[in-house]
């Protein structure tokens, strides 16, 4: 039987409705700022989409378009202004940044309680400590999509392909918090198939078009495809969707899977950031 398709847009819509409701009920309007440096076409598409959704749910939104040659000090000054701006509760610096900028330094300059992406050491550290504050949005998106299947996570074998700080590692940590038995694979993993074939839950975030084939997936598995790869035939994920959907139990499409959910989680993080900033929650 072919896999059930996990409709990321539909799951995201439910979250967006709740976010909109919470904003309407809130005395203060939550504010999100996005800083975009240069004119990377993919980054522009992502930022446009985030802006559209932020405005739709009713957030106060401010966009900073900076020249690609902006100096590191110039960018740090803008982040400092945003840190002080009381109308802005969450900030995203769209990555990647140009070569003259030290990405780590920039991310670390964001106040942890305004870190809508959840990439600062304080937020990542709290995730490691099982004391979640602002959790990276794509990792949250993966977990929510897995939960949307209604299947149990505790005790299942979960395999995450990719160990980036922004996707693979935080996703693995969230699955560990849900009591899955987690394996993390990466480019030096020997015999990837041996691992993926054992996964009840398989999350793939490696940026390699259609790397995961049908014969690498356990029948009935939940497969979450994070990858976004631009090919001559359009956008494809890291999973060979047409083949894998014949064996998996559940699968996310690309586009229309993790992408829309990531944006919903970013906006939700902005609401959480406002509460954390006000000391309503930690
Ligand atoms: P990175 O390039 O930072 O990390 C890729 C990871 O995949 C690395 O850990 C790397 O291993 C591993 N890897 C690479 N090749 C292989 C391989 N052949 N076998 C096993 N592991 C491999 O990417 P990101 O984590 O930032 O993003 C991953 C993908 O997800 C990209 O396509 C990106 O565009 C997409 N993405 C999608 C989002 C969404 O909202 N849908 C959000 C963020 C990212 P090693 O560490 O050894 O180098």
């Amino acid at each position: 039987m072919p896999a059930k398709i996990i409709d990321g847009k539909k799951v995201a819509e439910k979250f967006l409705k709740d976010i909109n409701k919470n904003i309407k009920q809130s005395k203060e309007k939550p504010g999100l700022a996005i800083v975009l440096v240069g004119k990377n076409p993919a980054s522009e598409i992502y930022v446009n989409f985030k802006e559209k959704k932020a405005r739709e749910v009713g957030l106060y939104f401010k966009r900073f378009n900076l020249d690609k040659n902006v100096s590191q000090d110039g960018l740090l000054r803008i982040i400092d202004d945003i840190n002080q701006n009381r109308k802005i509760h969450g900030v995203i610096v769209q990555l990647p940044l140009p070569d003259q900028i030290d990405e780590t330094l920039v991310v670390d300059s964001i106040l942890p309680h305004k870190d809508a992406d959840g990439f600062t050491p304080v937020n990542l550290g709290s995730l490691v400590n099982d004391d979640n504050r602002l959790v990276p949005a794509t990792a949250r998106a993966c977990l929510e999509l897995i939960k949307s299947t209604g299947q149990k996570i505790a005790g299942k074998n979960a395999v995450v392909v990719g160990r980036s700080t922004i996707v693979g590692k935080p996703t693995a940590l969230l699955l560990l918090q849900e009591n899955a038995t987690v394996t993390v694979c990466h480019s030096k993993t020997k015999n990837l198939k041996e691992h993926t074939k054992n996964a009840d839950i398989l999350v793939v975030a490696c940026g390699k078009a259609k790397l995961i084939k049908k014969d690498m997936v356990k029948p009935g598995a939940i497969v979450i495809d994070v990858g976004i790869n631009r090919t001559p035939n359009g956008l494809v994920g890291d999973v060979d969707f047409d083949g894998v959907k014949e064996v998996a139990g559940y699968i996310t499409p690309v586009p229309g899977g993790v992408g829309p959910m990531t944006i919903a989680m970013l906006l939700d993080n902005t609401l959480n950031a406002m509460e954390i900033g006000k000391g309503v929650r930690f």
Side-chain angles (χ1 to χ4, degrees), residues 46 138 161-164 166-168 185-188 192 205-208 211 226-229 238 258-259 262:
Y46 298 143
T138 305
V161 180
R163 57 174 165 181
S164 72
I166 62 173
V167 187
C185 300
H186 45 77
S187 69
K188 308 290 184 293
L192 183 64
C206 61
K208 296 280 174 283
L211 177 79
V226 182
I228 302 176
N229 305 287
D238 292 344
V258 176
T262 295

Side-chain angles (χ1 to χ4, degrees), residues 59-279:
L59 286 170
Y60 167 73
F61 184 86
K62 202 159 163 47
R63 177 169 173 158
F64 295 81
N65 285 314
L66 308 183
D67 188 85
K68 69 174 185 334
N69 296 316
V70 68
S71 68
Q72 180 148 295
D73 282 352
L75 176 53
L76 289 175
R77 271 197 300 277
I78 284 164
I79 293 174
D80 194 42
D81 284 349
I82 295 172
N83 280 340
Q84 310 306 324
N85 186 332
R86 295 168 74 95
K87 281 167 87 174
I88 294 173
H89 304 90
V91 56
I92 294 166
V93 177
Q94 187 68 37
L95 304 178
L97 293 169
D99 290 347
Q100 77 274 15
I101 312 268
D102 179 339
E103 232 167 65
T104 307
L105 198 70
V106 168
V107 169
D108 291 1
S109 73
I110 298 170
L111 281 177
H113 68 263
K114 290 199 174 189
D115 170 27
D117 265 326
F119 295 164
T120 58
V122 169
N123 286 314
L124 290 172
S126 50
L127 179 62
V128 173
N129 238 358
D130 295 337
D131 171 31
N132 300 2
R133 293 181 194 186
L134 295 170
V135 176
T138 305
R140 281 192 69 197
C142 291
L143 182 64
E144 291 299 340
L145 291 170
I146 294 164
K147 285 185 174 172
S148 78
T149 66
Q151 300 297 309
K152 220 174 125 199
I153 301 177
K156 296 283 172 65
N157 288 333
V159 173
V160 180
V161 180
R163 57 174 165 181
S164 72
T165 306
I166 62 173
V167 187
K169 281 181 198 158
T171 303
L173 287 166
L174 286 181
L175 287 165
L176 202 53
Q177 287 180 358
E178 296 292 329
N179 296 313
T181 302
V182 182
T183 304
V184 180
C185 300
H186 45 77
S187 69
K188 308 290 184 293
T189 297
K190 289 197 176 123
N191 202 349
L192 183 64
K193 179 177 165 182
E194 207 172 87
H195 298 281
T196 57
K197 193 84 189 140
N198 192 33
D200 303 304
I201 298 167
L202 178 61
V203 179
V204 192
C206 61
K208 296 280 174 283
K210 298 188 183 185
L211 177 79
I212 303 297
K213 308 282 189 229
K214 182 179 169 180
D215 66 339
M216 298 169 79
V217 174
K218 182 174 176 176
I222 299 172
V223 179
I224 307 292
D225 187 356
V226 182
I228 302 176
N229 305 287
R230 282 158 218 284
T231 73
N233 300 324
L235 274 192
V236 299
D238 292 344
V239 174
D240 179 15
F241 182 84
D242 290 334
V244 172
K245 79 172 192 308
E246 289 173 23
V247 288
Y250 300 85
I251 187 167
T252 59
V254 176
V258 176
M261 262 311 275
T262 295
I263 293 182
M265 295 298 96
L266 270 175
L267 304 182
D268 193 52
N269 272 356
T270 306
L271 263 62
N272 292 340
M274 185 168 85
E275 292 194 345
I276 292 169
K278 286 197 300 197

